[in-house]
């Protein structure tokens, strides 16, 4: 017969085991977009999927609308382990690994397929590895494909590089984005995303760009009613997680989190696809003018950018030889 003390000890051990088995991990994730933006809706879907599929072992608290700070602040907080995750532009990683800014070079990619070839290349994989190994930031998913970036202007659509020469263009505080605006003749004005609508309303900048799906939710069109579908860049959102946080959960839950990020990315694309036509119709009803940018004019812009490649390389924004390698991926 077991003693009373032994029985109590056994109960305690079993209770401790159950506690460990049911231990919960809570992650803080942030974003910078408003509540009705597709990326915000999909981010909440990601959090929901993780909670359901891990049966509560991993819970994600998602904070929208720059509640945790602007993009650079949030991704730097992840590098320091002060925040577990962030969902936003794939180029935000350039705050830590400058070469990630290659996706912010205007007119470097000829098409969505061209962009995807780069994202699947050894060049891009090397950047992801450096971000994870040197800065504690892992990329869980990159399949949150957005609509190509457009030009937003006040008085007329853009028909040539001369139309935007010398104009003050809103830019995120990302080195390659700033350099890219300069390469096509504008004067970049850095402005946090959450401050952009007010800044445009006050005339701080003359023009802006936007991923196509964000024009409506951001309401930038109310200030800049001419939208030139320039295909300036082919952006995507990435799901970032602090590597230290990722390694703190089981391999089973790691696999679940990765799959949830990819599934939420597919959901994001569905949202964008479903909203594109009705949102465009709603904006046109409010007097917004949409214009195409002919292929030959895009080629003029690309030629201007190529002239700045030596400067990009000298500033460490673009590894030497990458421009040629990327063009060869067409």
């Amino acid at each position: 017969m077991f003693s009373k003390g032994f029985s109590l000890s056994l109960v305690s051990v079993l209770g401790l085991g159950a506690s460990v088995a049911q231990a919960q991990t809570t992650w803080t994730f942030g974003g910078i977009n408003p509540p009705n933006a597709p990326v915000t809706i999909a981010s909440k879907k990601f959090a929901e999927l993780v909670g359901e599929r891990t049966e509560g072992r991993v819970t994600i608290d998602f904070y929208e609308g720059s509640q945790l700070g602007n993009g650079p602040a949030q991704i730097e907080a992840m590098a320091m382990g002060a925040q577990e995750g962030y969902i936003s532009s794939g180029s935000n990683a350039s705050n830590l690994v400058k070469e990630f800014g290659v996706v912010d070079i205007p007119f470097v990619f000829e098409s969505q397929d061209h962009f995807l070839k780069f994202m699947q290349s050894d060049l891009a994989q090397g950047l992801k590895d450096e971000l994870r190994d040197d800065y504690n930031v892992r990329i869980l998913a990159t399949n949150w494909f957005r609509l190509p970036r457009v030009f937003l202007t006040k008085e007329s659509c853009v028909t040539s590089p001369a139309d935007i020469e010398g104009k003050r263009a809103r830019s995120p505080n990302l080195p390659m984005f700033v350099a890219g605006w300069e390469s096509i003749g504008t004067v970049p004005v850095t402005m946090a995303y959450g401050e952009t609508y007010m800044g445009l309303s006050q005339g701080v900048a003359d023009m802006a760009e936007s991923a196509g799906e964000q024009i409506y939710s951001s309401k930038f069109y109310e200030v800049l009613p001419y939208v030139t579908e320039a295909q300036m860049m082919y952006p995507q959102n990435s799901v970032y997680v602090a590597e230290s946080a990722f390694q703190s959960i089981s391999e089973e839950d790691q696999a679940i989190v990765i799959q949830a990020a990819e599934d939420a990315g597919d959901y994001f694309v569905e949202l964008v696809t479903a909203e594109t036509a009705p949102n465009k119709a709603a904006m046109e009803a409010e007097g917004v003018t949409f214009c195409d940018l002919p292929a030959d004019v895009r080629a003029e812009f690309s030629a201007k950018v190529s002239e700045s490649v030596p400067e990009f390389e000298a500033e460490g924004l673009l590894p030497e030889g990458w421009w040629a390698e990327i063009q060869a991926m067409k």
Side-chain angles (χ1 to χ4, degrees), residues 35-152:
N36 59 331
V39 64
T40 301
I41 297 170
S43 296
K44 292 178 179 178
K45 181 69 172 180
F46 165 64
E48 177 187 321
L49 291 175
V50 169
E52 289 178 353
R53 293 177 181 178
T54 63
E55 299 180 336
R57 292 187 300 276
V58 181
T59 300
I60 294 177
D61 293 332
F62 180 77
Y63 296 85
E64 64 201 32
S66 301
Q67 293 181 65
L68 302 182
N70 60 25
Q74 291 195 53
I75 204 159
E76 287 169 9
M78 290 176 58
M80 296 185 293
Q83 177 175 328
E84 285 78 31
Y86 175 58
I87 303 176
S88 191
S89 171
S91 66
N92 274 182
S94 65
N95 282 287
L96 301 174
V97 178
K98 286 195 297 185
E99 293 86 353
F100 260 105
V102 66
V103 300
D104 282 338
I105 300 176
F107 303 102
V108 64
F109 298 109
E110 189 175 78
S111 64
Q112 183 81 54
D113 286 343
H114 185 197
F115 170 72
L116 291 179
K117 285 180 181 177
F118 168 76
M119 290 299 293
Q120 295 164 359
S121 71
D122 291 341
L123 300 183
Q125 187 59 52
L127 298 181
K128 295 174 188 177
D129 291 345
E130 182 180 352
L131 185 69
R132 180 195 62 219
D133 297 342
D134 296 350
Y135 295 96
N136 189 46
V137 177
R138 173 184 287 263
I139 296 178
L140 291 174
T142 61
N143 65 322
W144 296 46
F145 303 121
R146 307 165 73 184
L147 296 180
R149 291 192 183 278
V150 302
F151 288 140
L152 295 161

Side-chain angles (χ1 to χ4, degrees), residues 163-195:
D163 291 344
I164 62 173
E165 184 74 32
K167 287 191 178 294
R168 293 168 298 161
R170 180 266 167 183
S171 174
N173 190 19
L174 297 170
M176 187 69 252
F177 220 113
V178 172
W181 270 128
E182 291 175 341
S183 74
I184 57 176
T186 68
V187 179
V189 179
T190 58
M191 202 181 302
Y193 185 82
E195 301 170 359

Side-chain angles (χ1 to χ4, degrees), residues 212-227:
E213 82 283 352
Q214 285 187 187
I215 308 170
Y216 190 69
S217 61
S218 68
K219 298 189 181 298
F220 293 165
Y221 68 90
E222 294 179 349
V223 185
L224 303 174
Y226 288 88
V227 180

Side-chain angles (χ1 to χ4, degrees), residues 247-313:
Q247 293 302 330
S248 72
I249 61 176
S250 69
E251 290 186 3
E252 176 189 0
D253 286 342
Q254 288 176 354
I256 289 173
V257 168
I258 291 172
Q259 188 61 55
E262 293 177 351
D263 290 347
D266 292 339
Y267 176 66
F268 169 77
V269 173
E270 291 174 6
L271 287 175
V272 169
T273 302
E275 293 182 1
T276 297
N279 285 354
K280 184 175 182 179
M283 288 185 281
E284 287 177 326
E286 292 188 42
V288 176
T289 299
F290 287 84
C291 305
D292 291 326
L293 192 69
D296 59 332
V297 179
R298 290 192 77 250
E300 289 182 45
F301 275 108
S302 182
K304 285 180 68 69
V305 176
S306 68
E307 294 172 3
S308 296
V309 168
E311 295 176 31
F312 298 160
E313 293 176 342

